[in-house]
Amino acid sequence: MKTGVINVGASIGGLKQYLHCLMERVPAGTTLMGVEFDPETTRFVSKNLLSDEETLSNHQLHPFIKFMDVKQEHAMLFIQAIDEMNFDNLLLIGPLERSIPLRKLLHNVTNILCIPASIYNDDVDSDLTLGYDTALNSIVQAVLQIKDTASSLQKNQTRVFSIQIPGNVSSSLLDDSAISVDGIIVRDESELALARVKTEMERKLKKGATYVFLFMNQDVNPKNLQGKLEAFEPMDFNIVSIDEAQCLGSRPSAFDTVLAGKFATKTVNWLQTSEGESILRYQNNQVLEKHFVFKVKKSNA
């Protein structure tokens, strides 16, 4: 059995762990081929993942599949390449908003399984996506380091830390990050939103807080926010930007490592038994396989 694997997301936490678990568990006789786009030759190429794994000082190096975004001008070339690679199955790992268009392009070309992986947790029918817990932990750890420093300093003015995280729409990542460090969410720059933020800030300061964390995504401009808030009262305003690269984490969280293993186990089961195109979902602490009938939340890209 020849199975292709495409990374339609990025180097999210847990991706390498998923690939490693998958390679360990596929049955004998299975060939796993990573598919990538070579910009120099403008060709789609494949590499044997099982033969690419090497050993150095008794530590296994996990082969990595580069992120691939199929542009419209390369769509026909992509279809032809996948058809010529003659896969029995194809695995698409990444956000559903990127997997769905590719699945439509490859209709009737090969059997497809989607593995939801995204730092935004943006599969509406899945409790969690691979990489989300690592991203959340990375943001929280970065803010806690700021909190440690802020706790040791005393200033006359109110200290405000504006924490801007990736994404252009409200998401679980924004909500959960703020909740984790008792921050205030700034969803937009409207007068109503700013009045609510000011009320929340005053409530915290009256309870003895010496600093405040404001959380926002990339739709909110921290500099505009600073000007509008300083119109109410002087403050020591600090802007902290956390980008996607920081959210990927140097290594997956413990939960993403477990989730990667569960997704890999279910993938192997699909490869052996599935009769149609499916998507994996994490619900009620277990990975389920469902056929292609699903929705996607508004894009964070």
Side-chain angles (χ1 to χ4, degrees):
M1 179 169 58
K2 185 179 179 184
T3 299
V5 187
I6 298 179
N7 173 16
V8 298
S11 181
I12 53 92
L15 174 59
K16 291 183 180 180
Q17 187 67 26
Y18 167 81
L19 293 173
H20 177 65
C21 292
L22 185 63
M23 291 186 295
E24 283 190 331
R25 299 173 190 183
V26 291
T30 300
T31 302
L32 286 178
M33 306 294 295
V35 180
E36 298 177 346
F37 179 71
D38 183 350
E40 293 186 1
T41 62
T42 63
R43 293 176 60 246
F44 292 92
V45 297
S46 63
K47 62 180 181 181
N48 192 326
L49 296 180
L50 293 174
S51 65
D52 260 10
E53 190 169 32
E54 299 175 354
T55 300
L56 179 63
S57 299
N58 296 322
H59 293 286
Q60 288 184 325
L61 299 177
H62 307 329
F64 178 67
I65 306 173
K66 295 178 182 177
F67 160 64
M68 185 173 70
D69 182 19
V70 180
K71 300 185 181 300
Q72 187 173 359
E73 60 266 28
H74 296 144
M76 293 307 298
L77 183 63
F78 173 68
I79 297 172
Q80 181 181 357
I82 296 300
D83 188 34
E84 291 176 351
M85 289 175 187
N86 197 30
F87 293 127
D88 297 296
N89 302 287
L90 185 64
L91 309 178
L92 301 179
I93 310 169
L96 297 185
E97 64 185 24
R98 293 173 180 164
S99 298
I100 293 172
L102 295 191
R103 178 255 173 177
K104 290 180 178 178
L105 284 177
L106 299 174
H107 183 60
N108 291 330
V109 174
T110 189
N111 212 20
I112 293 175
L113 177 70
C114 288
I115 298 89
S118 168
I119 66 170
Y120 300 109
N121 196 29
D122 49 4
D123 176 2
V124 295
D125 293 325
S126 188
D127 296 338
L128 285 173
T129 54
L130 186 63
Y132 174 71
D133 190 65
T134 299
L136 177 60
N137 275 272
S138 298
I139 292 172
V140 171
Q141 288 302 316
V143 176
L144 288 179
Q145 290 179 2
I146 298 171
K147 185 175 182 179
D148 288 342
T149 302
S151 300
S152 64
L153 297 175
Q154 295 295 328
K155 289 194 175 183
N156 294 328
Q157 292 182 329
T158 299
R159 283 172 297 161
V160 177
F161 294 91
S162 166
I163 312 295
Q164 188 178 47
I165 69 171
N168 294 321
V169 299
S170 241
S171 66
S172 299
L173 191 62
L174 176 63
D175 295 342
D176 292 347
S177 297
I179 291 172
S180 297
V181 296
D182 194 25
I184 300 171
I185 300 174
V186 186
R187 299 197 185 278
D188 56 61
E189 300 174 29
S190 67
E191 293 300 322
L192 182 62
L194 291 176
R196 184 188 64 79
V197 169
K198 184 175 180 294
T199 299
E200 283 292 306
M201 288 176 59
E202 290 174 344
R203 180 183 65 80
K204 289 179 179 295
L205 295 172
K206 285 179 180 178
K207 289 186 175 182
T210 59
Y211 55 87
V212 176
F213 290 117
L214 303 182
F215 279 78
M216 64 211 68
N217 59 29
Q218 293 170 342
D219 267 354
V220 178
N221 187 325
K223 291 185 178 180
N224 291 342
L225 183 64
Q226 177 180 2
K228 292 177 181 179
L229 288 177
E230 286 180 339
F232 289 114
E233 62 179 276
M235 59 184 65
D236 178 26
F237 198 94
N238 304 272
I239 297 176
V240 179
S241 180
I242 299 177
D243 59 25
E244 279 199 12
Q246 291 171 274
C247 291
L248 304 181
S250 58
R251 62 183 62 187
S253 67
F255 189 84
D256 265 333
T257 299
V258 172
L259 188 57
K262 290 183 176 181
F263 274 138
T265 298
K266 199 66 177 180
T267 299
V268 172
N269 180 70
W270 177 82
L271 291 172
Q272 294 175 318
T273 64
S274 180
E275 297 179 354
E277 298 181 333
S278 299
I279 178 173
L280 298 186
R281 288 198 165 103
Y282 184 76
Q283 296 176 338
N284 299 320
N285 203 33
Q286 59 182 328
V287 177
L288 306 175
E289 177 191 332
K290 293 191 176 181
H291 291 292
F292 263 105
V293 179
F294 53 85
K295 308 178 290 297
V296 183
K297 291 179 183 176
K298 186 178 178 181
S299 173
N300 267 290

